[in-house]
mmCIF file of all heavy atoms in Angstrom:
data_model
loop_
_atom_site.group_PDB
_atom_site.id
_atom_site.type_symbol
_atom_site.label_atom_id
_atom_site.label_comp_id
_atom_site.label_asym_id
_atom_site.label_seq_id
_atom_site.Cartn_x
_atom_site.Cartn_y
_atom_site.Cartn_z
ATOM 1 N N LEU A 184 29.574 -24.608 73.683
ATOM 2 C CA LEU A 184 30.885 -24.296 74.268
ATOM 3 C C LEU A 184 30.978 -22.781 74.477
ATOM 4 O O LEU A 184 31.592 -22.402 75.495
ATOM 5 C CB LEU A 184 31.990 -24.729 73.311
ATOM 6 C CG LEU A 184 32.200 -26.240 73.166
ATOM 7 C CD1 LEU A 184 33.164 -26.576 72.026
ATOM 8 C CD2 LEU A 184 32.715 -26.845 74.482
ATOM 9 N N TYR A 185 30.361 -22.023 73.664
ATOM 10 C CA TYR A 185 30.289 -20.545 73.896
ATOM 11 C C TYR A 185 29.646 -20.222 75.224
ATOM 12 O O TYR A 185 30.098 -19.337 75.931
ATOM 13 C CB TYR A 185 29.580 -19.849 72.724
ATOM 14 C CG TYR A 185 29.319 -18.397 73.007
ATOM 15 C CD1 TYR A 185 30.348 -17.424 72.791
ATOM 16 C CD2 TYR A 185 28.093 -17.933 73.498
ATOM 17 C CE1 TYR A 185 30.079 -16.101 73.044
ATOM 18 C CE2 TYR A 185 27.894 -16.637 73.789
ATOM 19 C CZ TYR A 185 28.880 -15.673 73.567
ATOM 20 O OH TYR A 185 28.668 -14.363 73.850
ATOM 21 N N LEU A 186 28.526 -20.900 75.468
ATOM 22 C CA LEU A 186 27.847 -20.607 76.749
ATOM 23 C C LEU A 186 28.682 -20.856 77.968
ATOM 24 O O LEU A 186 28.744 -20.027 78.923
ATOM 25 C CB LEU A 186 26.565 -21.427 76.824
ATOM 26 C CG LEU A 186 25.411 -20.928 75.928
ATOM 27 C CD1 LEU A 186 24.437 -22.062 75.540
ATOM 28 C CD2 LEU A 186 24.701 -19.745 76.623
ATOM 29 N N ALA A 187 29.367 -21.948 77.986
ATOM 30 C CA ALA A 187 30.245 -22.289 79.140
ATOM 31 C C ALA A 187 31.337 -21.208 79.229
ATOM 32 O O ALA A 187 31.655 -20.793 80.384
ATOM 33 C CB ALA A 187 30.858 -23.622 79.001
ATOM 34 N N ASP A 188 31.879 -20.821 78.142
ATOM 35 C CA ASP A 188 32.980 -19.830 78.136
ATOM 36 C C ASP A 188 32.431 -18.468 78.525
ATOM 37 O O ASP A 188 33.156 -17.722 79.224
ATOM 38 C CB ASP A 188 33.600 -19.791 76.695
ATOM 39 C CG ASP A 188 34.799 -18.821 76.721
ATOM 40 O OD1 ASP A 188 35.766 -19.055 77.442
ATOM 41 O OD2 ASP A 188 34.781 -17.857 75.917
ATOM 42 N N LEU A 189 31.267 -18.173 78.139
ATOM 43 C CA LEU A 189 30.556 -16.883 78.506
ATOM 44 C C LEU A 189 30.492 -16.753 80.025
ATOM 45 O O LEU A 189 30.883 -15.685 80.615
ATOM 46 C CB LEU A 189 29.222 -16.804 77.865
ATOM 47 C CG LEU A 189 28.405 -15.516 78.229
ATOM 48 C CD1 LEU A 189 28.961 -14.269 77.655
ATOM 49 C CD2 LEU A 189 26.936 -15.731 77.822
ATOM 50 N N PHE A 190 29.937 -17.751 80.700
ATOM 51 C CA PHE A 190 29.795 -17.680 82.136
ATOM 52 C C PHE A 190 31.149 -17.630 82.868
ATOM 53 O O PHE A 190 31.348 -17.005 83.864
ATOM 54 C CB PHE A 190 28.961 -18.763 82.668
ATOM 55 C CG PHE A 190 27.519 -18.643 82.268
ATOM 56 C CD1 PHE A 190 26.860 -19.590 81.432
ATOM 57 C CD2 PHE A 190 26.735 -17.599 82.677
ATOM 58 C CE1 PHE A 190 25.563 -19.480 81.074
ATOM 59 C CE2 PHE A 190 25.434 -17.435 82.296
ATOM 60 C CZ PHE A 190 24.837 -18.377 81.535
ATOM 61 N N LYS A 191 32.127 -18.403 82.283
ATOM 62 C CA LYS A 191 33.482 -18.356 82.847
ATOM 63 C C LYS A 191 34.122 -16.961 82.765
ATOM 64 O O LYS A 191 34.687 -16.434 83.737
ATOM 65 C CB LYS A 191 34.325 -19.397 82.151
ATOM 66 C CG LYS A 191 35.721 -19.489 82.642
ATOM 67 C CD LYS A 191 36.553 -20.499 81.898
ATOM 68 C CE LYS A 191 38.036 -20.594 82.380
ATOM 69 N NZ LYS A 191 38.823 -21.636 81.628
ATOM 70 N N ARG A 192 34.000 -16.353 81.587
ATOM 71 C CA ARG A 192 34.601 -15.033 81.420
ATOM 72 C C ARG A 192 33.873 -13.945 82.208
ATOM 73 O O ARG A 192 34.457 -12.939 82.570
ATOM 74 C CB ARG A 192 34.625 -14.666 79.906
ATOM 75 C CG ARG A 192 35.583 -15.465 79.086
ATOM 76 C CD ARG A 192 35.667 -14.979 77.641
ATOM 77 N NE ARG A 192 34.478 -15.377 76.897
ATOM 78 C CZ ARG A 192 33.665 -14.503 76.276
ATOM 79 N NH1 ARG A 192 33.872 -13.208 76.344
ATOM 80 N NH2 ARG A 192 32.626 -15.010 75.568
ATOM 81 N N ALA A 193 32.597 -14.201 82.529
ATOM 82 C CA ALA A 193 31.891 -13.217 83.385
ATOM 83 C C ALA A 193 32.352 -13.286 84.833
ATOM 84 O O ALA A 193 32.007 -12.437 85.603
ATOM 85 C CB ALA A 193 30.373 -13.548 83.285
ATOM 86 N N GLY A 194 33.088 -14.332 85.205
ATOM 87 C CA GLY A 194 33.608 -14.402 86.532
ATOM 88 C C GLY A 194 33.025 -15.504 87.387
ATOM 89 O O GLY A 194 33.405 -15.608 88.626
ATOM 90 N N PHE A 195 32.048 -16.278 86.859
ATOM 91 C CA PHE A 195 31.446 -17.340 87.705
ATOM 92 C C PHE A 195 32.604 -18.349 88.058
ATOM 93 O O PHE A 195 33.430 -18.624 87.243
ATOM 94 C CB PHE A 195 30.367 -18.050 86.922
ATOM 95 C CG PHE A 195 29.039 -17.343 86.918
ATOM 96 C CD1 PHE A 195 28.725 -16.451 85.858
ATOM 97 C CD2 PHE A 195 28.121 -17.473 87.924
ATOM 98 C CE1 PHE A 195 27.553 -15.810 85.846
ATOM 99 C CE2 PHE A 195 26.890 -16.810 87.921
ATOM 100 C CZ PHE A 195 26.644 -15.926 86.878
ATOM 101 N N PRO A 196 32.568 -18.913 89.320
ATOM 102 C CA PRO A 196 33.622 -19.897 89.685
ATOM 103 C C PRO A 196 33.650 -21.117 88.794
ATOM 104 O O PRO A 196 32.586 -21.460 88.236
ATOM 105 C CB PRO A 196 33.168 -20.254 91.110
ATOM 106 C CG PRO A 196 32.324 -19.129 91.595
ATOM 107 C CD PRO A 196 31.604 -18.604 90.384
ATOM 108 N N GLU A 197 34.798 -21.637 88.604
ATOM 109 C CA GLU A 197 34.880 -22.855 87.825
ATOM 110 C C GLU A 197 33.940 -23.931 88.350
ATOM 111 O O GLU A 197 33.815 -24.149 89.540
ATOM 112 C CB GLU A 197 36.309 -23.466 87.887
ATOM 113 C CG GLU A 197 36.464 -24.711 87.048
ATOM 114 C CD GLU A 197 37.865 -25.359 87.227
ATOM 115 O OE1 GLU A 197 38.606 -24.923 88.070
ATOM 116 O OE2 GLU A 197 38.087 -26.368 86.506
ATOM 117 N N GLY A 198 33.182 -24.571 87.428
ATOM 118 C CA GLY A 198 32.196 -25.569 87.836
ATOM 119 C C GLY A 198 30.790 -25.045 88.019
ATOM 120 O O GLY A 198 29.893 -25.852 88.187
ATOM 121 N N CYS A 199 30.589 -23.737 87.988
ATOM 122 C CA CYS A 199 29.214 -23.206 88.124
ATOM 123 C C CYS A 199 28.391 -23.584 86.902
ATOM 124 O O CYS A 199 27.179 -23.827 87.080
ATOM 125 C CB CYS A 199 29.242 -21.669 88.277
ATOM 126 S SG CYS A 199 29.093 -21.111 89.940
ATOM 127 N N PHE A 200 29.002 -23.496 85.753
ATOM 128 C CA PHE A 200 28.214 -23.858 84.537
ATOM 129 C C PHE A 200 29.240 -24.543 83.574
ATOM 130 O O PHE A 200 30.161 -23.901 83.124
ATOM 131 C CB PHE A 200 27.608 -22.631 83.846
ATOM 132 C CG PHE A 200 26.720 -22.970 82.684
ATOM 133 C CD1 PHE A 200 25.364 -23.142 82.886
ATOM 134 C CD2 PHE A 200 27.241 -23.141 81.456
ATOM 135 C CE1 PHE A 200 24.517 -23.497 81.821
ATOM 136 C CE2 PHE A 200 26.416 -23.525 80.384
ATOM 137 C CZ PHE A 200 25.054 -23.686 80.634
ATOM 138 N N GLN A 201 28.967 -25.783 83.334
ATOM 139 C CA GLN A 201 29.846 -26.613 82.378
ATOM 140 C C GLN A 201 29.099 -27.205 81.272
ATOM 141 O O GLN A 201 27.960 -27.738 81.430
ATOM 142 C CB GLN A 201 30.501 -27.651 83.250
ATOM 143 C CG GLN A 201 31.386 -27.220 84.391
ATOM 144 C CD GLN A 201 31.989 -28.463 85.092
ATOM 145 O OE1 GLN A 201 32.965 -28.992 84.659
ATOM 146 N NE2 GLN A 201 31.398 -28.812 86.206
ATOM 147 N N THR A 202 29.677 -27.102 80.061
ATOM 148 C CA THR A 202 29.093 -27.855 78.955
ATOM 149 C C THR A 202 29.736 -29.203 78.766
ATOM 150 O O THR A 202 30.989 -29.315 78.843
ATOM 151 C CB THR A 202 29.389 -26.996 77.607
ATOM 152 O OG1 THR A 202 28.478 -25.891 77.606
ATOM 153 C CG2 THR A 202 29.134 -27.868 76.426
ATOM 154 N N LEU A 203 28.917 -30.226 78.697
ATOM 155 C CA LEU A 203 29.395 -31.586 78.538
ATOM 156 C C LEU A 203 29.124 -32.011 77.121
ATOM 157 O O LEU A 203 27.949 -32.214 76.706
ATOM 158 C CB LEU A 203 28.676 -32.558 79.477
ATOM 159 C CG LEU A 203 28.726 -32.161 80.978
ATOM 160 C CD1 LEU A 203 27.900 -33.196 81.818
ATOM 161 C CD2 LEU A 203 30.091 -32.064 81.484
ATOM 162 N N LEU A 204 30.140 -32.119 76.311
ATOM 163 C CA LEU A 204 29.992 -32.626 74.910
ATOM 164 C C LEU A 204 29.943 -34.150 74.984
ATOM 165 O O LEU A 204 30.972 -34.833 74.985
ATOM 166 C CB LEU A 204 31.150 -32.158 74.041
ATOM 167 C CG LEU A 204 31.153 -30.633 73.714
ATOM 168 C CD1 LEU A 204 32.288 -30.402 72.669
ATOM 169 C CD2 LEU A 204 29.853 -30.191 73.176
ATOM 170 N N VAL A 205 28.721 -34.642 75.110
ATOM 171 C CA VAL A 205 28.507 -36.126 75.208
ATOM 172 C C VAL A 205 27.309 -36.411 74.324
ATOM 173 O O VAL A 205 26.488 -35.606 74.034
ATOM 174 C CB VAL A 205 28.232 -36.509 76.667
ATOM 175 C CG1 VAL A 205 29.459 -36.234 77.541
ATOM 176 C CG2 VAL A 205 27.002 -35.867 77.224
ATOM 177 N N GLY A 206 27.228 -37.712 73.989
ATOM 178 C CA GLY A 206 26.049 -38.252 73.269
ATOM 179 C C GLY A 206 24.886 -38.453 74.185
ATOM 180 O O GLY A 206 25.077 -38.455 75.447
ATOM 181 N N SER A 207 23.756 -38.749 73.642
ATOM 182 C CA SER A 207 22.554 -38.997 74.477
ATOM 183 C C SER A 207 22.717 -40.245 75.309
ATOM 184 O O SER A 207 22.078 -40.398 76.328
ATOM 185 C CB SER A 207 21.321 -39.111 73.578
ATOM 186 O OG SER A 207 21.470 -40.109 72.633
ATOM 187 N N ASP A 208 23.581 -41.191 74.853
ATOM 188 C CA ASP A 208 23.807 -42.401 75.613
ATOM 189 C C ASP A 208 24.483 -42.156 76.990
ATOM 190 O O ASP A 208 24.490 -43.066 77.852
ATOM 191 C CB ASP A 208 24.555 -43.385 74.836
ATOM 192 C CG ASP A 208 25.942 -42.892 74.389
ATOM 193 O OD1 ASP A 208 26.140 -41.625 74.438
ATOM 194 O OD2 ASP A 208 26.786 -43.685 74.002
ATOM 195 N N ALA A 209 25.063 -41.027 77.229
ATOM 196 C CA ALA A 209 25.738 -40.677 78.474
ATOM 197 C C ALA A 209 24.795 -40.056 79.478
ATOM 198 O O ALA A 209 25.110 -39.868 80.672
ATOM 199 C CB ALA A 209 26.875 -39.738 78.218
ATOM 200 N N ILE A 210 23.530 -39.635 79.057
ATOM 201 C CA ILE A 210 22.705 -38.905 79.935
ATOM 202 C C ILE A 210 22.280 -39.751 81.151
ATOM 203 O O ILE A 210 22.233 -39.267 82.282
ATOM 204 C CB ILE A 210 21.397 -38.479 79.137
ATOM 205 C CG1 ILE A 210 21.824 -37.398 78.136
ATOM 206 C CG2 ILE A 210 20.359 -37.853 80.106
ATOM 207 C CD1 ILE A 210 20.645 -36.999 77.207
ATOM 208 N N GLU A 211 21.905 -40.990 80.917
ATOM 209 C CA GLU A 211 21.447 -41.809 82.050
ATOM 210 C C GLU A 211 22.499 -41.930 83.216
ATOM 211 O O GLU A 211 22.204 -41.726 84.411
ATOM 212 C CB GLU A 211 21.101 -43.197 81.595
ATOM 213 C CG GLU A 211 20.604 -44.142 82.758
ATOM 214 C CD GLU A 211 19.984 -45.393 82.252
ATOM 215 O OE1 GLU A 211 19.930 -45.651 81.094
ATOM 216 O OE2 GLU A 211 19.591 -46.165 83.209
ATOM 217 N N GLY A 212 23.720 -42.176 82.828
ATOM 218 C CA GLY A 212 24.749 -42.282 83.892
ATOM 219 C C GLY A 212 24.971 -40.989 84.638
ATOM 220 O O GLY A 212 25.120 -41.014 85.870
ATOM 221 N N ILE A 213 24.953 -39.844 83.939
ATOM 222 C CA ILE A 213 25.085 -38.541 84.579
ATOM 223 C C ILE A 213 23.887 -38.303 85.523
ATOM 224 O O ILE A 213 24.095 -37.904 86.605
ATOM 225 C CB ILE A 213 25.198 -37.435 83.563
ATOM 226 C CG1 ILE A 213 26.518 -37.645 82.768
ATOM 227 C CG2 ILE A 213 25.198 -36.037 84.157
ATOM 228 C CD1 ILE A 213 26.589 -36.795 81.517
ATOM 229 N N LEU A 214 22.704 -38.540 85.041
ATOM 230 C CA LEU A 214 21.455 -38.267 85.815
ATOM 231 C C LEU A 214 21.413 -39.167 87.025
ATOM 232 O O LEU A 214 20.902 -38.791 88.091
ATOM 233 C CB LEU A 214 20.256 -38.419 84.927
ATOM 234 C CG LEU A 214 18.899 -38.081 85.557
ATOM 235 C CD1 LEU A 214 18.911 -36.705 86.255
ATOM 236 C CD2 LEU A 214 17.782 -38.090 84.514
#
Side-chain angles (χ1 to χ4, degrees):
L184 291 170
Y185 170 83
L186 283 158
D188 185 59
L189 174 71
F190 289 117
K191 180 180 179 180
R192 288 184 288 120
F195 282 93
E197 181 187 6
C199 260
F200 186 93
Q201 300 180 77
T202 286
L203 306 180
L204 290 186
V205 296
S207 57
D208 58 345
I210 293 174
E211 179 170 358
I213 296 168
L214 184 50

